Amino acid sequence: MKKIVFADICMRDEQAFHKACYKGSGNAGSNYAEEVYYPINAILADKLKKDDDVKVVLVQTIDKEDEREQNNVKENTEKFKAELNHINESINAKIDYKEVCADYNELKENHEKRIMTILEQMEEDAELYGDITFGPRTVPMEMLCAFAFAEQFYNADIKKIVYGQVKWENNTPKEPQLFDITSLHYLNSLTYNMQPDTKEEAMKALKLFFSL
């Protein structure tokens, strides 16, 4: 089955963009013992298999008025590719990279552009992976919207959406944690599709979901 990976590219420079080891942290179940810039690559190190057909969509945010940040995005895009290529040396999956971009603003038109740009990379019956660690705060919401659309209309299988968390001390990341937040996608689906007769029944269904 086709795997499609979506990752937001970091806009920070090398002083604020560091590697971390996420093995055994959080609830994402990563077993990868090396440090990575992008948390999703720790997951792919475990999930990719020989001859897998993988499309990696690197979602860039471009500030047209800040050349420094533009250079950061270019450099951090190459870091993602180099990192995953290194991991893939011992796996030999087929990986194709796609770079897509949108402006650095939160106008309605730009939200629409980001969502449509993501959806244009969807394919029928694909497994989807997402990394929402970096990028503007609205990109995770846009990615979740696109994933919900793909699940319903492209028969997509949402495998894992991750977020890497670190604590910063003297500009150095400490206590890295890798979290699987895929349940938030399914919580959205539950909320939109439930049809209870009362709000009390809706709350009961919600509590049942949280107990699973």
Side-chain angles (χ1 to χ4, degrees):
M1 181 178 285
K2 182 87 174 190
K3 289 181 171 65
I4 308 179
V5 181
F6 294 86
D8 300 331
I9 294 298
C10 182
M11 301 172 68
R12 296 177 177 177
D13 61 24
E14 60 184 7
Q15 299 300 318
F17 185 38
H18 299 273
K19 289 185 173 183
C21 178
Y22 294 97
K23 180 180 179 180
S25 69
N27 67 343
S30 172
N31 294 310
Y32 189 59
E34 294 188 31
E35 294 183 336
V36 293
Y37 284 110
Y38 290 92
I40 191 65
N41 284 334
I43 298 298
L44 295 177
D46 296 332
K47 297 296 184 181
L48 294 186
K49 297 178 177 61
K50 184 177 180 179
D51 298 325
D52 270 353
D53 187 6
V54 185
K55 177 164 65 174
V56 179
V57 183
L58 303 176
V59 183
Q60 303 168 330
T61 302
I62 304 298
D63 187 342
K64 294 180 179 178
E65 298 180 356
D66 192 329
E67 185 175 350
R68 179 181 56 84
E69 284 197 351
Q70 293 173 30
N71 290 332
N72 291 343
V73 169
K74 290 179 183 178
E75 292 176 2
N76 293 338
T77 296
E78 295 308 311
K79 285 179 179 177
F80 187 107
K81 294 178 183 179
E83 184 167 87
L84 185 54
N85 288 341
H86 168 69
I87 291 169
N88 192 44
E89 288 175 357
S90 61
I91 300 172
N92 200 30
K94 177 187 174 183
I95 301 178
D96 180 32
Y97 294 99
K98 301 289 185 182
E99 298 176 22
V100 300
C101 66
D103 296 336
Y104 188 26
N105 68 62
E106 301 308 332
L107 295 173
K108 175 176 177 291
E109 293 80 7
N110 205 43
H111 297 163
E112 295 169 355
K113 178 181 178 181
R114 284 199 194 115
I115 292 172
M116 294 305 297
T117 296
I118 293 172
L119 286 175
E120 286 167 359
Q121 298 298 327
M122 296 295 181
E123 300 181 28
E124 294 285 343
D125 304 318
E127 295 179 349
L128 301 187
Y129 295 80
D131 185 340
I132 64 165
T133 305
F134 304 108
R137 297 294 183 264
T138 54
V139 173
M141 299 172 64
E142 293 156 357
M143 189 180 295
L144 287 174
C145 289
F147 274 31
F149 188 95
E151 184 177 48
Q152 184 168 355
F153 298 107
Y154 286 81
N155 195 36
D157 183 4
I158 315 300
K159 285 296 186 181
K160 199 173 286 282
I161 305 171
V162 299
Y163 173 76
Q165 174 186 296
V166 296
K167 297 180 180 179
W168 290 91
E169 183 178 314
N170 298 323
N171 207 33
T172 302
K174 303 287 186 181
E175 302 178 32
Q177 299 282 321
L178 183 53
F179 294 102
D180 180 350
I181 63 164
T182 316
S183 61
L184 294 180
H185 162 76
Y186 292 110
L187 176 58
N188 273 338
S189 296
L190 172 67
T191 302
Y192 287 127
N193 291 310
M194 67 169 58
Q195 296 180 333
D197 292 327
T198 66
K199 64 178 180 296
E200 287 77 16
E201 290 181 5
M203 288 294 292
K204 183 177 180 180
L206 189 61
K207 291 178 180 178
L208 179 60
F209 175 86
F210 286 138
S211 71
L212 296 177

